[in-house]
Structures are given as structure tokens and as C-alpha cells.
Amino acid sequence: MKIRTMKLREAHKRDDEGESSVCSILWASNGDYIVTASSSDNSICIHTVGSPSNMPKFLRNHREGVTALALSPNSTCLASGSLDHSVKLYKFPGGDFETNITRFTLPIRAVAFNKSGTILAAAGDDEGIKLVNTIDGTIARVLKGHKGSVTSLAFDPKSEYLASLDSDGTVIYWELQSGSTVHVLKAIAPNNGIGFSVLNVLAWSPDGEMLAVPGLKNDVVMYDRDTAEKLFSLRGDHTQPICFLSWSPNGKYMATSGLDRQILIWDVDKKQDIDRQKFTECISCMAWKPHGNALAVIDFMGKYGVWESAVPLTMKSPTEDIPGLHSKNSNGFLLFDEEEEPSASGNLSDLNEDSHGEFEPPSRKRLRKRSNYDDDWEEDCNDELESIPKVGSRKKASYGHKDNLSGKSGSRHMIVTAGSKMQEAFQPGATPAQPGKRHFLCYNMLGSITTMEHDGYSHIEIDFHDTSSGPRVPAMTDYFGFTMASLNESGSVFANPCKGEKNMSTLMYRPFSSWANNSEWSMRLEGEEVRAIALGSAWVAAVTSLNFLRIFTEGGLQRYVLSLDGPVVTAAGYKDELAVVTHSSPSLPTDEQMLEFRVFNIAYGTQPLRGRLPLTPGSCLTWLGFSEEGHLSSFDSKGVLRVFTSQYGGSWLPLFSASKLKKPDENYWVAGLSASKLFCIVCKSPESFPQSTPKPVLTLLDLSFPLACSDLGADSLENEFMMNNMHLSLVQRSIEERAASGHDTTSLDDEAFNLETSLDRCILRLIASCCNGDKLVRATELVKLLSLEKSVRGAIKLVTALKLPSLAERFSSILEEKLLSETSGNTVLPDRKSNCNGSIQHDVASVKLFTAPEISQKSEGVVPSPTHTLPSTSLSSKQNGEEPCKDRHGNNIQCQTTTLGKATDLKTAVKLKADEVHSLGETKAMKVDQLHFSRPSNPFAKSASNQESSSLFDSLKKMKK
């Protein structure tokens, strides 16, 4: 076999004495970054793979050399250990320093994250391995049993064991659930004594079935995960002990480096080396590229490089057929990410911190062979299925223990199909807890609720954006450990995860004012955890781990308990309405979530809406709420905002898409929305949520449909056209609902008229763009959508000025057809009460509502609302002269009427209509506020008479007069 060599470039300078150092290298999960460190350099370097010529990013937070690195599974958190005895956390890839997660009394030699990222194991020259909760920085447990310095740590991919190796060559299997030792393998690896230029390492295979350990014969020995029996060894051309080993992502290959200054690539199944590289120095650390055929290496002198095509191209790729794990906890909360997932190791916090009894056989020790692995795996699956009725979202199915290590709401275990991932529950407006920092329990359009843990309890503060209108709420000391909250004008509600021996969750409501003393109340749920809460008009809602929806009154009366169809994802409230999102089924193999929404009217005890919640493929739900006008809205992780409307029998309209802004370095954390604006906090990537201090600044973004690029180049006009259509449809729906309930519609009539005129102006501008772009058919379609006769005449004048006589003639024909249709009594006129016959003609002239015959058909499946029509009155039967008419204030005005015979020429009628427009311009459309507008039905906006009523749109924001 030909031995190749490759050149390396310097990443870290060695010390003055030129001695070799322990160096580390990692590859980010997306393959875009490489991280390096050296025990002779106090800096950590983050290299951009695609731009090797660019200067790396340096993190200089340690006082002495960095001896260990680890990345969380989703590559959002970087951990480092150092000779200065500290373990630090950073945001990745930004590199912002987060916290000193823990300290030792002696140097650190190894750090490792568990599969979910909730636990960080750290060890070194001190006695004991610390398991640190990355959520709050607490020490979950200290594992004691090693005699020498611990040089390597590895979590079992199935989240059951932790393996550790010390400088004496001893390997210990630790059971995470109990903290006890499962197996102790003494002196199976080389003894490094007191020298730390070379560290013993070990690694689990990606499928979790084997543990690889450097052997005593310059080889690698494989041990069974459960029995710790020796399975086989890889022995080849290494002439000196192996100092590092690394599994390929699919577990088919292994890379080993030895003190003989060469790297060997092994085919594990065939137990033979397939390629090798020779170096001038010993290779200290290696890392496979997560996506591709490459191996990153760094030597003892701090020089690093990438071995491209480490596996021969004629062989199977090292990233092909990556094994899927049937672990009992397949997901987990990842630090600095916005999704919280179940802990892989269960709750270690409520057990004793120190774990002694070093070599005692564990009670749960399974001594099974690889041959009967499949049978026992089926038994484990049965255990999981039997655990479904048991409450306790933090319970590991096969173990049944109570709490999750993270201690945060939202950490849930779900039984899902292999390879799929069901979204965990979350509270809108809440951010993950961070050690030593204040974070949001709630953030909405009204204000915010923040908390920070200190000395075993938390300090909660409530602030309103408008300090002049919101009540003054004193700060609160939280002894329950609340992790979620909801806020409205009347009060606030809090909830915490299950705690204590009784596995109890607490729900507490605090009103801002009350006529009675002691109006605050709390409820305790034993064996049941609150996962989402919401507030409305005189009601409080909580959705729990038993899929119960619990409704309480403002005074604490337990009013309703409903069973939901699936696990809750989130909930939101607005006045009388409560929206709840649940899983309708397990997620698809493509990880697409299958969610369902339900809207309850608490006051009337009804469910006006229910349906599937749309999401962008590959995304998850990140926010749910109501707009200021009461419209149900959602926002997903791909940056798409959707608003529910009754159009087309009930549909979701995409009104914002972050991809259209073309700012990939920005993430948008939604706080709320109005009729035309999205209120959000802009977070710089990779941040996905804001910090509470300094106080974040709200950014207002315009709502707009994600339209295709038009051949007219008038995207803004087309968006304005669609937005106005949507708003007009909502106003018309509200007019119908108010009129049906007997309420005054004057203000909404004015708003509808303003929208009509604004929409006509927009259509006229679009017609001009069509004419300039020679899109005459489109211009003809647009003129049919004009509402006012005056607007149609304006369109005729426009195309005449543009010297398009044929189009002007067609527009004139359209106008004549509509006027002829009206004079024949075929047009449904707006409902209008009048004291004279002539007033009807003035209405037609002032606010002419055309309905194009070819697009006026009612959609199937949509029940039309009743349409008020005037009695059929022939124009020829009207009397000549003036008749007294009264406006809406009761004042007498003069109305000019014209007598038309049956054989009246159409052109004369058109002229008379124009005269009426002029006369009515002086009276400013009397009684316009009483009109019931009926917009043409078209592909962009249905007629108000063709829409289903919905309680979601009974409140529309009034426009300024």
C-alpha cells in the first residue's frame, strides 16, 4: 500500500521550549466550521472551512492552555476545558462567551456532551467526573471510581451509559440512571503515567453497540456495550501505541493515529486497514466530516489540515447509511436552541451527588450477548409502550423515574416512529433559561415577564411597554420555579414543571386589581404537568401532560375539563377565544409536523374552528397568537407568518416570509402583529431568541404576500391590491356580523368605503402598468374589478391618453354592459333605506358596485349569506322633478331625478349618469355609511355574501377618520 503525505498549516503556536502539546480538533455538524485548541495556547480557533485564507475567530477566555473541546449535538454550544481548572461554554459559531459552567481544583483533561445536549461531563486530574446540567449550571452528580487522571469521556449514543478512561488504562462503564458502575476493565489500555502529552481515548460506535479502546499491542480493541466482553481487535501496521481513534459517521470505518506518526483508515467489518497517511509529527486528534469524505487532523505541534477522500472513492462513503438509533430518548433540549427536548439521562439531580460503591454489581445489569440483542430490544420497546399511560413527561419510559435533568417545562418523552421527531410543547413568548441570566417567561404586545434564579429561588418582574397605561405590579419572589407565564390587561398566570416526591405541577394566577382581598389563587396538579397556559376575558386555561384542557374562571373556579385528541404543542388566548395546537399524528418520515388547531369560545362553550395547521416543509411551529384585531396567526421556524381567514371556506394566508427579505443572517422572534405590521425582535444568526437585558427593541415589518416575480415589475402594487382585497373582505364580514346582531355599522361602513376607493386607485395604477407592459388582457380583467363607475371612466380616460383606442373601446363596452344591466334591473343594489325614489339613483351613481357576470359564480361548499335587495323599480316609473330626501342626520336635501322612457338610448343614459356623478359630488354620497357593500367575487377576494361567518373576525381595528 502506497503511503501518502499531506501538508499541515499552523493553527496554534507551541510554547518556547518547543515541547509537544495535547491538541484538539472538532468539526461542526453542518461541516462549515472547524474548531481547534492546544494545551500550549489559551485561545480557541474557529476556522471557516470554505474560506481557509480568512483569519479564524479567536476565543481567548482561558488563562492557560485549552486541553479539551466538545460541541453540542446541534453545534450551537461549544464547551472547553483548560489547565486553569475551568470549564467554559460559548455560543457557536458566534463564539460569544456564555458562562463558567463549573470549576475543578486541578487541570481538566476531558469534556463531553450527552446526545441531547442537556448534560456536560467533565473530568481531569481531580478525583471524580462531574455531570453538569447545561440548563442551569447545577452539578447533577459526581461519579467517583477512577484512581488516575480521567483522560477521555464518551456518552453512549443510546443514552444509557457513560464510558470513561483514565491514565492508568482503566475503563469504567457508568449507568446514567443510577450513577453506579456497571463494568470496570482494569489496565486494558496503555498506561501513560504522569505524562500528558499523549492521552488515552475511547469512543462508542455510532450505533452504540461497541466501545473502541486503544489496546496494549498497538491495536484497537472492541468491547460489547452491555457485557463489556472483548469482541475483536484491529491490528495492523502501527508500530507504536495508538494515541487517538475516531469512528466514521456511519460506523463502517475507523481512523487511528499512533506514536509512529501515521494515520490508518480501517474497514471495521473486514478488520483491515485500507489507507494510510504519514506525517512529520504525531497526530493528536482527528474528526470526520459530518457530510462528506474528509478527515480533519491536528498534530502535537498545533498544525492542522484536512485529508480529503480519506476513504478510497471506490468504497462506500463514510456518511452513507448512518445508523438510526432506537434509543429511549431520541430527542433532547439543546442549549442555546429554542426547542426543548427530553433529557437522555433522566434526572440525576434528586440522587446523591457522590456515587461510591465502586465495583458493586448493579441491580439492572443486563448480561446479554449480541446474538439475543434483537429479542431484548423488543422487550425494551414493550416497556416503552407500557409506560405511555404513566404520567410524568420527564420520565424515561423504561426506567420510570420522575424528573428530567433539565428541570424545564417542555422536556417531554414521546413515543414516535423511528427516525421521526415530534415537536415538543412550548409557551409563546418564553425563552430558554440560561445560567446566571434573566430570561423571558412571557413577551407579548402588552408587556413582558422576566425571571432570574438566585440562591435557590427566582425573582420575577412584570413590565408593561406603555408604562402610562399599565398597572404597577410589584416584583415577586418565586419559590416554585415557574418556567412559563401568560400576561393580559387583567392579570398574569404562571406554571412550573413537575417537582418533588409527588411529581406535582403548580398553576398560579395573580390579578392586577380586585375588589376583594386575597384574590390570588393556585392549583396543584399531582402526577400531571402543565405544558401550555393562556389567558382571556375572565378565564385561565392550562393544557397538561394528560392531554387535558383545564378551564378556570378568573376567581379560581374549575369550570371545564376537556380531553384533547393529541399532545399539546402550544396555546394562546384572546378575549373569549382560546386557540390550542396539538399533534394530530406522529410526524412524517421527512420530519414534517402533523399539527391541528382548535379554537374554543369560552363564553359560549362552542368550538367555532378546527382544522390542520399548515407549516413550511421541514419547519416547526415557533409562535401562535392573535393579532390586535383578533385574527388567529402562526409563525414557523422557516420565517413564514400565516393568518387565518374565512375566505374559501376557511384558509390560512401567508402574509410574511423571511426569505423574501433576503437577510439570511437575521432571525425573527415574533411578539405580535397588527392589520399591516409584524412586531418582532430581530436576532442575529445563530441566535434564535432575544436576551432580556438589555431590553430588546421591537422592529416593525410590513406584512406582504410572498408573491412570484411579476413580468410587470409591479410587485408592490400587486401586493397592495391583494392586501386591500383581504382587508375589505374582513371589513365586509364584520359589517354582516354586526348588522345581523343589530349593532351600528356606521364606522365600518366608512372604513369599507375608504378601502373601496383605495382599492380602485390601486387597480387603476395596475391597469397603467399593464398598458405600459402590453398586457391588455390583464388590464381588461382588472377593469372588471373596479367598484365605482367613476373609476371605470377614469380607466377609459387613462387608456385613451395612452393612445390605446381599441382598449378604450373595450372598456367603454364593459361600462355600457354594466349600465345596461343596471337599467334593466339585473344588478343587485346595495341595501339602502330612503325617503325618496330618486335617492336610489344617486347611490348608483356615487358608489357603483359592478359584478362581472363571468366571475360572479358562487363557490361550491360556501354557504352564501342573505343579500338584501331593493324592490324592482323601473326607471321609467320614476317621477319627474325634485323630491325632498333626508340624509342620515334628518336634514332635508334636494335630489334631482330624471325620467327615462323604455326606449331611452343607452348613450343618453350614460350621459345622464355622468351628470348624476357631478351633482352627487356636491352632496358627498349621502348615506354612504348605511350602504352594505358587495364586492365582486374574484380569485383574490370573495364577495362578502359568499363567505362563511367566523367569530374570529368580529373585531376589526378602526381606521382614523
Side-chain angles (χ1 to χ4, degrees), residues 438-453:
R438 183 170 292 276
H439 68 281
F440 291 112
L441 296 179
C442 173
Y443 191 102
N444 58 24
M445 298 289 284
L446 182 64
S448 64
I449 302 178
T450 59
T451 184
M452 183 173 68
E453 185 178 357

Side-chain angles (χ1 to χ4, degrees), residues 321-341:
D321 297 333
I322 296 177
L325 299 176
H326 302 285
S327 60
K328 297 177 176 59
N329 286 298
S330 60
N331 302 319
F333 176 81
L334 306 180
L335 189 61
F336 312 136
D337 195 12
E338 64 182 355
E339 277 191 28
E340 183 177 348
E341 304 171 350

Side-chain angles (χ1 to χ4, degrees), residues 877-892:
S877 65
K878 296 186 182 297
Q879 300 177 357
N880 293 328
E882 299 179 355
E883 294 185 4
C885 300
K886 295 184 178 181
D887 63 11
R888 62 183 176 185
H889 302 295
N891 301 322
N892 290 330

Side-chain angles (χ1 to χ4, degrees), residues 452-458 478-479:
M452 183 173 68
E453 185 178 357
H454 179 69
D455 292 340
Y457 61 90
S458 297
D478 170 24
Y479 296 98

Side-chain angles (χ1 to χ4, degrees), residues 413-430:
H413 172 72
M414 295 183 187
I415 303 298
V416 299
T417 57
S420 62
K421 174 184 176 183
M422 292 175 68
Q423 180 178 355
E424 300 296 334
F426 70 93
Q427 183 67 25

Side-chain angles (χ1 to χ4, degrees), residues 501-713:
E501 296 180 356
K502 295 184 178 181
N503 202 29
M504 189 175 295
S505 183
T506 302
L507 178 73
M508 186 178 77
Y509 176 72
R510 295 188 69 193
F512 295 142
S513 62
S514 176
W515 58 270
N517 294 327
N518 196 25
S519 55
E520 176 183 310
W521 55 266
S522 63
M523 299 286 171
R524 295 187 177 182
L525 307 176
E526 185 172 346
E528 183 178 2
E529 181 178 78
V530 177
R531 296 189 174 178
I533 53 179
L535 274 178
S537 298
W539 56 265
V540 176
V543 191
T544 71
S545 56
L546 295 183
N547 297 342
F548 286 166
L549 170 59
R550 297 181 176 272
I551 308 295
F552 304 86
T553 65
E554 197 173 28
L557 176 65
Q558 302 189 53
R559 195 77 171 87
Y560 304 105
V561 180
L562 308 178
S563 282
L564 300 177
D565 296 341
V568 66
V569 177
T570 192
Y574 176 81
K575 294 185 177 179
D576 291 335
E577 292 180 332
L578 166 67
V580 179
V581 175
T582 59
H583 287 281
S584 60
S585 66
S587 55
L588 299 179
T590 56
D591 280 345
E592 293 185 36
Q593 304 297 316
M594 307 298 290
L595 306 183
E596 179 184 60
F597 75 96
R598 301 169 71 177
V599 177
F600 302 91
N601 189 299
I602 305 301
Y604 294 99
T606 59
Q607 180 181 286
L609 291 175
R610 180 173 184 173
R612 296 293 292 273
L613 183 74
L615 291 174
T616 306
S619 70
C620 59
L621 183 66
T622 59
W623 180 83
L624 181 79
F626 291 86
S627 70
E628 290 184 341
E629 296 76 26
H631 307 153
L632 181 61
S633 309
S634 70
F635 193 81
D636 63 33
S637 58
K638 297 291 186 180
V640 177
L641 173 75
R642 295 175 176 87
V643 177
F644 185 83
T645 174
S646 60
Q647 289 181 324
Y648 294 96
S651 301
W652 290 83
L653 303 182
L655 294 185
F656 177 83
S657 177
S659 61
K660 292 293 182 179
L661 298 182
K662 298 181 180 179
K663 295 182 178 179
D665 59 333
E666 291 183 354
N667 294 320
Y668 303 99
W669 195 76
V670 175
L673 70 152
S674 63
S676 60
K677 299 288 184 180
L678 173 66
F679 294 79
C680 63
I681 299 171
V682 179
C683 303
K684 293 297 182 182
S685 184
E687 295 287 349
S688 57
F689 56 87
Q691 303 295 324
S692 61
T693 53
K695 189 174 181 180
V697 178
L698 276 177
T699 300
L700 276 65
L701 301 176
D702 292 328
L703 298 183
S704 62
F705 286 92
L707 301 181
C709 294
S710 173
D711 52 4
L712 287 179

